[in-house]
Amino acid sequence: MAERAVVTIDRHIIEEERKFPHATGRLSNILTDLALAAKMIQREVAQAGLVDILGRAGRENVQGEQVEKLDEFAQEVIYNAMDHGGNLCCMVSEEHEDVIPIPDRFPTGDYVLIFDPLDGSSNIDVNVSIGTVFSIYRKVSKGGRGTLQDCLQPGRAMVAGGYVVYGSSTMLVYSSGTGVHGFTLDPSIGEFLLSHPNIRMPEPPQRYYSVNEAYYQRWSLGQRRLVDCLKGMGEKETAPFRTRYIGSLVADFHRTLLKGGIFMYPRDTASPEGKLRLLYEAVPMALICEQAGGRASDGERDILDIVPTGLHQRTPLYVGSREFVDMAEEFLQRDPELPC
Ligand code: AFP
């Protein structure tokens, strides 16, 4: 009987590394450590309704939002999984204002890890999918320890990025620049198994749009006209798209990646720079989307071309099937001004 090869994430990472004869194995170590951290976070997320870990921690993070306890747990798990391996020169997290140094007692390496430990955490207590998002860059500054300069690189410099979605099953999706690979956690053996090799966005894409339409009044005329058009209310008569919006970026993006369509988080009068964070949310999704044949834009330029100026910088985001992101840019550039 023909046996179906089961590819674990560890095996896949090693096989990817072999494609680069000069690879040191450091990047593979980081990805393997991240997969372990994801399993530990998944275990807690799955227990969230059972154990007394839910609830507000009673303080705000640097974004001015209430921090859920599970956020803190995920932050600690990732930090502890990554601080001692000698692979990283520093880390940056959505939960921390500044660059997180590697403790002096541990050796440092040539990579920077940027992560959002638990995105969409306001959805935890209603069983909606949430996620961890990560990106990895090579150190560019001189000297042993990482600096701000190492963390503020454009997305094009990323060596690997991806996310974990904790949903009806837990999936880890990553790219190191040679396509997009998706792994599903088999809880019975505690392993991420290759379930979605070489993900490509569907062509032709399914006609879905995803945006928080409650903010319609705050949008630019271009953004309003774009959404009107997607509803079939534009100048030309077209069939309406279908709409889906979860309010948890990883879940909304994951659907967009697999089905096609466009996810948007525009700028508006309340958030003139947009709400989503460039480094923690937009850039890793942009890498995955481009590698799968799609596009990510801030409405004017590719997300991956933006040179960040701050760790917690925000950006508008249009990500998904190439033709719909192109179309969004056209509408936005025609009528860009926000209402007074
Ligand atoms: P939380 O982490 O506070 O739940 O925010 C989630 C998020 O950053 C992102 O995951 C969503 O796409 C977006 O915010 C939803 O924002 P709106 O509630 O304004 O639609």
Side-chain angles (χ1 to χ4, degrees), residues 65 94 118-123 212 215 245 247-250 252 263 265 275-277 281:
E65 304 157 332
E94 196 233 339
L118 215 48
D119 185 70
S121 52
S122 63
N123 293 301
N212 190 337
Y215 305 141
Y245 188 72
S248 178
L249 175 68
V250 179
D252 278 315
F263 170 86
Y265 206 109
K275 176 188 177 189
L276 301 180
R277 293 78 170 170
E281 297 176 305

Side-chain angles (χ1 to χ4, degrees), residues 201 210 252-263 319-320:
M201 292 199 70
S210 184
D252 278 315
F253 176 79
H254 189 62
R255 181 199 55 249
T256 305
L257 178 72
L258 296 184
K259 304 257 187 214
I262 182 169
F263 170 86
V319 63

Side-chain angles (χ1 to χ4, degrees), residues 48-182:
L50 298 172
V51 292
D52 186 23
I53 200 165
L54 277 181
R56 307 278 168 185
R59 61 179 181 80
E60 290 186 344
N61 68 9
V62 291
Q63 316 287 347
E65 304 157 332
Q66 285 281 320
V67 177
E68 303 275 358
K69 281 182 183 172
L70 213 45
D71 283 9
E72 295 179 352
F73 174 82
Q75 168 71 30
E76 284 298 299
V77 165
I78 296 177
Y79 178 72
N80 290 331
M82 314 303 302
D83 67 347
H84 57 278
N87 305 305
L88 299 177
C89 61
C90 64
M91 294 183 238
V92 182
S93 163
E94 196 233 339
E95 298 290 336
H96 273 255
E97 185 133 22
D98 300 314
V99 175
I100 308 170
I102 300 295
D104 286 342
R105 64 184 186 281
F106 295 132
T108 53
D110 283 341
Y111 289 100
V112 180
L113 174 67
I114 300 183
F115 63 100
D116 183 350
L118 215 48
D119 185 70
S121 52
S122 63
N123 293 301
I124 292 168
D125 47 2
V126 288
N127 270 14
V128 165
S129 300
I130 50 181
T132 296
V133 194
F134 61 90
S135 46
I136 301 164
Y137 294 81
R138 217 168 257 120
K139 183 173 184 298
V140 287
S141 68
K142 303 268 179 278
R145 311 266 143 188
T147 66
L148 190 59
Q149 186 197 355
D150 298 307
C151 308
L152 296 180
Q153 300 186 53
R156 296 257 175 243
M158 201 187 323
V159 291
Y163 61 86
V164 184
V165 58
Y166 310 100
S168 49
S169 58
T170 296
M171 270 194 78
L172 189 154
V173 177
Y174 89 95
S175 174
S176 52
T178 56
V180 178
H181 316 290

